């Protein structure tokens, strides 16, 4: 693996930096001869632009405004064809819906991460030396973006990523998580004690929070809560300590604190840009839950088969169908006015990107309360508040509508596709519980998992990790599988396999990484924290 991001050869990184920093007046100067920059020239003025690149690439988005660096295909492949398909947020029509790794798709996200996001965060950290508050924010973002990768692949280059060497060693999942908590503890200590309200060096380029110290502090603690729950089956005592510390220090509690990346014409929302143009559609799993619950988010996210019909009918495509199995059968697309690119074809330039929602925290705290952790409320109250925040996030605030949903006793329903293909194996509906809070703890845990699955939408990386950890039955198994590896079949994919390039250019390191993985390099090998 030869990463092209030595400090003395900053071409890729600084091309991305210059493009993503629309407020930067030195665009032309930076882009004239990027390879001429040396380490001593990486001063504080580049911290913000580098951070801008790390933010956008760190959420697997790209733009055609950065030719040769990235484009929206990274989201379409790294997120759409992989994590979003695995958990049935969408049906992509590619082999990954049958759990097959084909055409090297597993490498797109990896390559863009290590050639764009990693050099950008490393450059921002180097340029911020001596600025404690900026470093605290960068530590938090480093945890966020690496967490998605380690939870997707398992052991990955981390400690020495960006070392400029031909060979880059892999760190174990356990060691990386240990460092995550260390970084988040350090960041919280700094941001809790500073008198600053804004990190000036990052503010102009921070498209999440504009450098706001308070918001970054609660983002960091929200990450700590997320990670604590992730390790709760592996290290329950540490999980309890970290979760309680996170809540005590302050996590997101309002939608105003939620993290959205502010889209623009040069940093577009890739999901909105391509889901409908690429032909992604609603899945049978989503239809079953949303239609059965009379969920008011349904019409926000997806389009009925006929907008003029009454009642409106939605149809989800079962994940795992064989090629052309359903012929010309029509399925519900994404609602173009909310999740698509809009009638004018430019909604992606203004629809902000969901990164981390406050509603997730309440649902995580609800599960923590069931674990016996001090989460600042009862499991039921936290569960219901999480639902309210998610509904409000999508513009659903009518009290009667919200209360009816929370107290709803209807159940997920059979998918509409059965009216056309009645022989499909879809009669065992995965979710057999209503929204209304159940009486038993086992059912309550499933309800929390279902509502978190909906609340996190469309951010599929975290939703995939949460489903693997909880093992909650929320989605249908694929109708068919092209992957007979142990642990895969028709089950939920456990991880993404390493890229072909790793085997050819970094063989010893990837071999060591597989040893640290503790199983073969297949989609069926569970990660360190996945114990159920």
């Amino acid at each position: 693996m030869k990463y092209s991001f030595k400090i003395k050869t900053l071409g890729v990184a600084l091309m991305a930096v210059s493009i993503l920093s629309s407020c930067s007046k030195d665009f032309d100067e930076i882009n004239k001869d990027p390879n001429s920059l040396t380490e001593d020239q990486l001063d504080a003025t580049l911290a913000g632009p580098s951070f801008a690149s790390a933010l956008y690439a760190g959420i697997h988005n790209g733009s055609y405004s950065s030719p040769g660096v990235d484009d929206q295909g990274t989201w379409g492949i790294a997120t759409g064809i992989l994590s979003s398909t695995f958990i049935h947020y969408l049906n992509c029509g590619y082999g990954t819906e049958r759990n097959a790794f084909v055409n090297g798709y597993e490498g797109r996200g990896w390559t863009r991460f290590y050639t764009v996001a990693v050099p950008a965060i490393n450059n921002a950290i180097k340029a911020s030396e001596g600025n404690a508050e900026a470093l605290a924010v960068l530590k938090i973002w480093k945890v966020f973006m690496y967490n998605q990768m380690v939870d997707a692949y398992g052991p990955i280059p981390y400690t020495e990523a960006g070392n400029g060497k031909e060979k880059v060693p892999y760190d174990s999942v356990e060691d990386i998580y240990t460092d995550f908590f260390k970084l988040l503890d350090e960041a919280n200590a700094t941001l809790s004690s500073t008198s600053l309200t804004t990190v000036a060096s990052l503010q102009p380029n921070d498209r999440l929070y504009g450098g706001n110290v308070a918001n970054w502090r609660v983002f960091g603690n929200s990450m700590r809560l997320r990670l604590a729950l992730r390790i709760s089956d592996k290290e329950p005592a540490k999980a309890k300590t970290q979760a309680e510390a996170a809540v005590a220090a302050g996590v997101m509690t309002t939608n105003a604190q939620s993290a959205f990346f502010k889209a623009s014409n040069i940093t577009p929302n890739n999901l909105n840009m391509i889901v409908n143009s690429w032909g992604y559609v609603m899945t049978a799993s989503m239809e079953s839950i949303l239609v059965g619950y009379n969920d008011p988010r349904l019409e926000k996210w997806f389009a009925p088969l006929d907008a003029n019909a009454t009642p409106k009918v939605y149809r989800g495509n079962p994940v795992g169908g064989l090629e052309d199995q359903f012929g010309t059968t029509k399925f519900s697309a994404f609602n173009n006015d909310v999740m698509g690119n809009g009638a004018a074809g430019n909604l992606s330039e203004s629809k902000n990107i969901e990164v981390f929602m406050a509603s997730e925290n309440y649902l995580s705290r609800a599960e923590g309360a069931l674990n016996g952790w001090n989460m600042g409320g009862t499991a039921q109250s936290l569960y219901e508040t999480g639902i309210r925040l998610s509904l409000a996030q999508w513009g659903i605030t009518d009290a009667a509508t919200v209360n009816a949903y929370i107290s709803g006793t209807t159940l997920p329903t059979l998918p509409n596709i059965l009216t056309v293909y009645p022989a499909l194996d879809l009669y065992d509906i995965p979710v057999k519980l209503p929204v209304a809070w159940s009486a038993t703890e086992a059912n309550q845990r499933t309800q929390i998992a279902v509502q978190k699955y909906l609340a996190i939408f469309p951010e599929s990386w975290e939703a995939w990790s949460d489903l693997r950890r909880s093992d909650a039955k929320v989605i249908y198994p694929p109708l068919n599988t092209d992957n007979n590896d142990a642990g895969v079949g028709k089950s939920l994919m456990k991880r993404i396999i390493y890229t072909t390039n790793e085997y050819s250019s970094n063989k010893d390191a990837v071999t060591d990484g597989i040893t640290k993985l503790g199983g073969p390099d297949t989609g069926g090998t569970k990660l360190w924290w996945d114990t159920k």
Side-chain angles (χ1 to χ4, degrees):
M1 172 197 325
K2 185 172 182 178
Y3 301 133
S4 301
F5 48 78
K6 296 180 183 180
I7 294 297
K8 65 181 180 180
T9 56
L10 293 171
V12 170
L14 287 176
M15 188 183 296
V17 165
S18 60
I19 289 165
L20 292 170
S21 306
S22 58
C23 297
S24 177
K25 296 180 180 179
D26 57 356
F27 173 93
D28 293 330
E29 291 300 316
I30 290 175
N31 213 31
K32 280 181 181 176
D33 186 8
N35 289 325
S36 68
L37 281 170
T38 58
E39 185 169 347
D40 63 306
Q41 293 173 298
L42 190 60
D43 60 24
T45 63
L46 291 178
S50 296
F51 183 45
S53 182
L55 286 174
Y56 194 55
I59 54 174
H60 313 283
N61 273 238
S63 171
Y64 276 136
S65 295
S66 49
V69 179
D70 206 1
D71 59 58
Q72 55 268 33
T74 292
W75 186 94
I77 295 174
T79 301
I81 291 178
L82 295 174
S83 59
S84 291
T85 296
F86 293 157
I87 63 166
H88 301 196
Y89 270 179
L90 54 79
N91 189 308
C92 68
Y94 289 84
T96 48
E97 70 168 297
R98 295 184 297 277
N99 284 343
F101 290 111
V102 293
N103 298 325
Y105 292 145
E106 70 280 357
R108 180 68 175 264
W110 177 283
T111 300
R112 291 305 191 264
F113 181 78
Y114 281 108
T115 60
V116 182
V118 168
I121 194 71
N122 287 352
N123 292 343
I125 291 171
K126 179 65 179 177
S128 297
E129 287 182 359
N131 186 334
E133 290 81 9
L135 288 174
V137 171
L138 295 171
K139 287 175 182 178
I140 292 168
W141 190 248
K142 178 179 179 178
V143 171
F144 175 88
M145 68 181 219
Y146 269 103
N147 176 237
Q148 292 190 337
M149 294 298 288
V150 70
D151 284 354
Y153 291 89
I156 57 172
Y158 175 72
T159 304
E160 295 191 43
N163 63 6
K165 299 178 181 178
E166 290 276 347
K167 310 298 181 182
V168 186
Y170 283 50
D171 295 86
S172 70
V173 176
E174 181 179 7
D175 287 347
I176 294 173
Y177 263 75
T178 297
D179 194 59
F180 283 168
F181 286 116
K182 175 178 176 291
L183 293 178
L184 293 174
D185 286 341
E186 292 171 353
N188 180 65
T190 297
L191 298 182
S192 296
S193 60
T194 185
S195 60
L196 297 180
T197 58
T198 304
V199 182
S201 63
L202 303 181
Q203 184 273 330
N205 305 94
D206 179 2
R207 302 185 75 86
L208 259 66
Y209 289 128
N212 183 280
V213 168
N215 282 341
W216 273 109
R217 183 177 60 79
V218 298
F219 183 99
N221 285 311
S222 298
M223 273 303 303
R224 182 152 46 153
L225 175 61
R226 173 185 282 184
L227 299 183
L229 205 57
R230 187 88 83 250
I231 67 170
S232 58
D233 293 326
K234 186 70 176 182
E235 296 185 320
K238 182 176 181 178
K240 180 177 186 294
T241 298
Q242 288 291 343
E244 290 182 344
V247 172
V251 297
M252 298 174 194
T253 56
T254 67
N255 283 335
Q257 295 173 320
S258 292
F260 292 90
F261 183 95
K262 296 175 178 60
S264 73
N265 63 330
I266 59 172
T267 54
N269 185 323
N270 287 182
L271 181 152
N272 280 70
M273 179 179 288
I274 70 175
V275 283
N276 285 335
S277 64
W278 281 33
Y280 293 160
V281 296
M282 180 186 195
T283 67
S285 294
M286 288 291 275
E287 177 203 339
S288 174
I289 298 170
L290 294 172
V291 172
Y293 282 166
N294 298 312
D295 196 309
R297 290 168 291 196
L298 170 62
E299 62 183 24
K300 301 284 185 178
W301 296 344
F302 299 103
L305 298 180
D306 183 349
N308 298 316
T310 303
K312 291 182 171 57
V313 175
Y314 295 82
R315 180 183 295 146
N317 191 333
V319 171
L322 300 176
E323 188 174 354
D324 296 327
Q325 180 174 354
F326 303 117
T328 59
T329 302
K330 184 178 180 180
F331 296 100
S332 290
F334 281 74
N335 181 349
N336 198 48
D337 294 330
V338 179
M339 304 300 295
N341 212 9
N346 59 1
L347 182 59
S348 61
E349 299 177 3
S350 59
K351 167 65 170 59
N352 294 333
I353 303 168
E354 296 82 2
V355 176
F356 197 134
M357 303 298 103
S359 55
E360 177 191 330
N361 283 330
Y362 280 97
L363 295 162
S364 293
R365 290 165 64 190
E367 185 175 350
L370 293 181
N371 293 343
W373 304 347
N374 182 1
M375 295 287 97
T378 66
Q380 181 177 355
S381 66
L382 294 166
Y383 167 79
E384 293 178 353
T385 301
I387 295 173
R388 291 180 188 278
L389 259 66
S390 180
L391 295 178
Q393 174 194 330
W394 296 98
I396 302 157
T397 57
D398 176 72
T401 300
V402 173
N403 290 335
Y405 181 76
I406 290 174
S407 62
T409 58
T410 59
L411 299 176
T413 187
L414 291 172
N416 178 274
I417 188 66
L418 288 171
T419 64
V420 185
Y421 296 90
L424 291 175
D425 185 15
L426 296 170
Y427 289 92
D428 183 13
I429 299 173
V431 180
K432 299 176 174 63
L433 297 169
V435 176
W437 191 244
S438 296
T440 67
E441 181 179 318
N443 286 347
Q444 291 163 3
R445 289 183 182 276
T446 299
Q447 289 178 307
I448 291 169
V450 173
Q451 289 302 321
K452 187 186 285 190
Y453 173 79
L454 298 175
I456 294 174
F457 179 85
E459 207 295 279
S460 59
W461 291 80
E462 174 56 25
W464 178 33
S465 294
D466 199 64
L467 284 187
R468 283 178 284 162
R469 175 194 62 82
S470 68
D471 275 348
K473 191 175 181 182
V474 177
I475 59 178
Y476 280 102
L479 290 177
N480 301 279
T481 182
D482 292 339
N483 191 329
N484 294 317
D485 289 334
V488 184
K490 292 184 179 181
S491 68
L492 180 64
M493 190 72 76
K494 308 303 186 298
R495 59 180 291 275
I496 301 171
I497 61 175
Y498 294 126
T499 70
T500 301
N501 184 59
E502 284 295 277
Y503 283 96
S504 61
S505 62
N506 200 30
K507 184 177 180 180
D508 290 344
V510 76
T511 299
D512 180 60
I514 295 170
T515 299
K516 291 172 179 174
L517 177 64
D521 181 20
T522 69
T525 300
K526 292 184 177 182
L527 303 188
W528 167 77
W529 46 259
D530 187 3
T531 64
K532 291 182 179 178

